[in-house]
Amino acid sequence: MTTRNHQRERSTFVVRVEFPRASRARVDQAQRQYFFAWVWQNLQPLGVHEGTVLSADASRWGLLTESWEVDSGKAPASRDWISSIKKSLPIEIYFGTRSEALRGIHVLKKAWAPALKGFRVRAPREQKAKDWNRISKKAFSGVSLPPFWKILPPWKKKPRSNRFRTIVINPGAGFGTGTHETTQLCLTVMGYLSQNWSSNWKELQVLDFGSGSGILSVGAAVLGAKSVDSVEIDPLAIRNARENARLNQVGPSRIHFRQKQRRRKSSVILANILKPVLLAESKNLVRDLEPQNGNWCVILSGLVKADLTSVTREYTRQLEKHFGSRPTHLKLQKKEWFALAFGPRKIISQIQHCL
Ligand SMILES: C[S@@+](CC[C@H](N)C(=O)[O-])C[C@H]1O[C@@H](n2cnc3c(N)ncnc32)[C@H](O)[C@@H]1O
C-alpha cells in the first residue's frame, strides 16, 4: 500500500505501521493472499474501493485527504514488495495534524492490533512541507511514451519539438501520472486509434470511466476529441483532474467531470479499472456506445493475465448483443499488465499492424 498525494503544502504526520508477516502460510503466494484479504477486510470501514481508499472517506476518518492504492496481490512475486520483506510489512500513513495522527493510532490499534500478533504502530513523525515538495519533484520528473506522448509535471518546461503530444499532469489525489503500465497501454492504443480513425476525430465523443488524474481524458482532448465524459468516483481525484484539464488548456467545455456516468452516446470508451469494476459495469459501459462512421473502440486496462478470459468473454458478449455481430479485439501487454481493445475488424487490425 502506498500513499500518493505529492502536493502537501503543510507539515504532515507520518505514522509507521508494521504488520507481522503471516506466519501460518508457508508459500509466498498464500501469504500475499492472506495479507491482502486481511487488509481489505480491515480497511473496509475506511471506504476501500477497488484498490483505493477514497480520499473523502480517508479524510472523514482523520487521515490526510488523499487516495491510497492497495495492490491487488496479483503481481508476480518478482515485483512484489511484500514478499521481499523478511520480518514485517511496513506501511506509512499520513495524517494532516498531530491530533489526527494520535486519533488514527488509537483507531488503528483498536481495529487491527487484536487481529495480528506482533502488529505495531509507531509514534507520529512530523514531515515538513518543504521536504514533501522536494520529494514530490524528485519522484515525478515526467515520462516519455514514444511514439506519441510526453507526460510532464507543470514545473518542467514543455519541449520545443512537436514530435510528441504533451500532457501536463500535476501529481495529486488522482491516480495516473503516466508512469503506470496500465495508463501507458491506454495512451498507446489511443495514439494508434486516432491515427487510424477514418472519420473526423474532432467530432468524437469519448467516455473515460475511472478517470483518476484525468490523464486519459486530457489525452483524448489533446488528440482532438470534441467532448469527453470523465467519470470518477473519488471527488478529490476529480478536483485534481480539473486542475490537470486547466493546465492543458482543455477546459470545461471539452471535458465534463462527474461522479456518476450519465446516458450519452460515445464512440470511444476508455476504462482503466480493475477487473471487478469492469465486469460489474460492462452493461452500463456498452449500452450507449454508438459508432461514428462505422468506427468505435472500447479500451479496457488494469488487467492481469488471470483476468483476461472472463473480461474478454463478458465484453464480447455485451458488444455482440449491442451491435448484433461479434467484435474483434486485440491484447496488449506491458510487464505483468494487460489491456484489451475491442472494435470493428478493420480498425483493430490496423492498430495491430502498427504495434
Ligand atoms: C487505475 S485508476 C485509472 C486512472 C486513469 N484513468 C489512468 O488511466 O491512469 C482507476 C480509477 O477509477 C476510479 N474508480 C473505481 N471505481 C469506479 C467507479 N465505479 N466509477 C467511477 N470511477 C471509479 C478510481 O477511484 C480510480 O481513480
Side-chain angles (χ1 to χ4, degrees):
M1 185 165 64
T2 54
T3 58
R4 54 177 149 77
N5 185 342
H6 301 289
Q7 293 302 297
R8 298 186 185 89
E9 278 145 18
R10 55 196 169 108
S11 286
T12 52
F13 293 83
V14 187
V15 171
R16 190 181 165 92
V17 180
E18 283 168 21
F19 291 95
R21 290 204 71 178
S23 52
R24 66 185 169 90
R26 282 184 28 232
V27 188
D28 267 354
Q29 181 66 19
Q31 283 180 337
R32 290 191 340 240
Q33 278 167 5
Y34 170 76
F35 172 76
F36 282 116
W38 191 87
V39 168
W40 279 116
Q41 214 180 2
N42 287 279
L43 286 183
Q44 209 76 42
L46 301 186
V48 173
H49 184 91
E50 192 252 325
T52 308
V53 179
L54 295 186
S55 317
D57 292 318
S59 165
R60 206 172 304 129
W61 194 73
L63 298 174
L64 190 71
T65 51
E66 61 184 45
S67 300
W68 302 345
E69 286 165 59
V70 180
D71 194 301
S72 69
K74 288 176 182 164
S78 58
R79 296 192 66 202
D80 183 359
W81 58 272
I82 295 216
S83 60
S84 66
I85 292 166
K86 295 287 175 280
K87 285 194 184 132
S88 62
L89 313 169
I91 290 176
E92 292 195 329
I93 306 176
Y94 299 86
F95 294 86
T97 64
R98 188 180 296 280
S99 63
E100 282 173 348
L102 293 172
R103 189 155 62 94
I105 288 176
H106 175 71
V107 180
L108 285 164
K109 276 190 176 157
K110 203 166 147 209
W112 295 0
L116 279 183
K117 224 171 131 196
F119 173 85
R120 261 188 207 90
V121 189
R122 306 270 175 208
R125 170 170 50 86
E126 186 174 357
Q127 185 104 48
K128 297 269 187 243
K130 62 175 175 8
D131 296 339
W132 277 116
N133 286 337
R134 193 174 42 79
I135 291 165
S136 106
K137 290 197 175 188
K138 224 168 135 185
F140 182 56
S141 57
V143 193
S144 274
L145 205 58
F148 301 107
W149 302 101
K150 210 170 217 9
I151 299 129
L152 292 174
W155 54 84
K156 276 223 159 174
K157 247 190 166 171
K158 274 193 183 185
R160 283 244 179 85
S161 133
N162 56 4
R163 210 160 62 92
F164 291 101
R165 309 271 189 162
T166 307
I167 301 177
V168 178
I169 293 290
N170 198 9
F175 178 103
T177 54
T179 50
H180 201 276
E181 290 82 3
T182 57
T183 313
Q184 296 179 356
L185 288 169
C186 290
L187 287 170
T188 301
V189 181
M190 287 163 65
Y192 287 120
L193 186 66
S194 79
Q195 238 178 28
N196 288 286
W197 195 265
S198 55
S199 45
N200 191 357
W201 183 268
K202 287 203 163 55
E203 286 305 309
L204 192 66
Q205 170 69 44
V206 176
L207 168 66
D208 176 10
F209 190 78
S211 54
S213 68
I215 186 167
L216 303 182
S217 300
V218 170
V222 166
L223 288 171
K226 178 173 133 192
S227 169
V228 185
D229 266 346
S230 190
V231 181
E232 169 56 56
I233 204 169
D234 185 342
L236 290 180
I238 294 184
R239 203 190 293 167
N240 177 226
R242 279 210 171 94
E243 182 198 359
N244 289 326
R246 255 194 322 274
L247 287 169
N248 290 277
Q249 280 112 39
V250 278
S253 61
R254 303 270 304 282
I255 305 183
H256 311 277
F257 296 99
R258 42 183 57 92
Q259 263 186 287
K260 276 209 173 119
Q261 192 188 341
R262 67 168 184 173
R263 298 212 64 163
R264 207 140 90 106
K265 302 283 176 212
S266 307
S267 310
V268 171
I269 294 173
L270 314 165
N272 175 13
I273 304 199
L274 298 178
K275 172 182 110 171
V277 186
L278 287 177
L279 291 181
E281 296 291 332
S282 62
K283 210 168 158 189
N284 289 341
L285 290 178
V286 167
R287 74 184 168 189
D288 296 321
L289 195 55
E290 186 178 74
Q292 188 199 55
N293 278 350
N295 278 339
W296 59 271
C297 191
V298 177
I299 303 173
L300 308 175
S301 189
L303 303 167
V304 292
K305 196 170 181 193
D307 302 334
L308 290 173
T309 308
S310 56
V311 175
T312 307
R313 194 186 303 133
E314 174 59 15
Y315 276 81
T316 302
R317 192 171 72 86
Q318 293 294 349
L319 289 163
E320 190 166 9
K321 224 157 90 183
H322 186 70
F323 288 123
S325 62
R326 211 173 160 76
T328 335
H329 73 272
L330 65 83
K331 186 175 75 188
L332 292 93
Q333 181 179 5
K334 209 160 188 186
K335 298 205 174 130
E336 72 267 29
W337 297 100
F338 288 84
L340 295 166
F342 292 84
R345 183 172 302 283
K346 188 170 167 209
I347 200 147
I348 293 298
S349 55
Q350 280 168 337
I351 298 174
Q352 190 110 53
H353 189 72
C354 300
L355 290 169

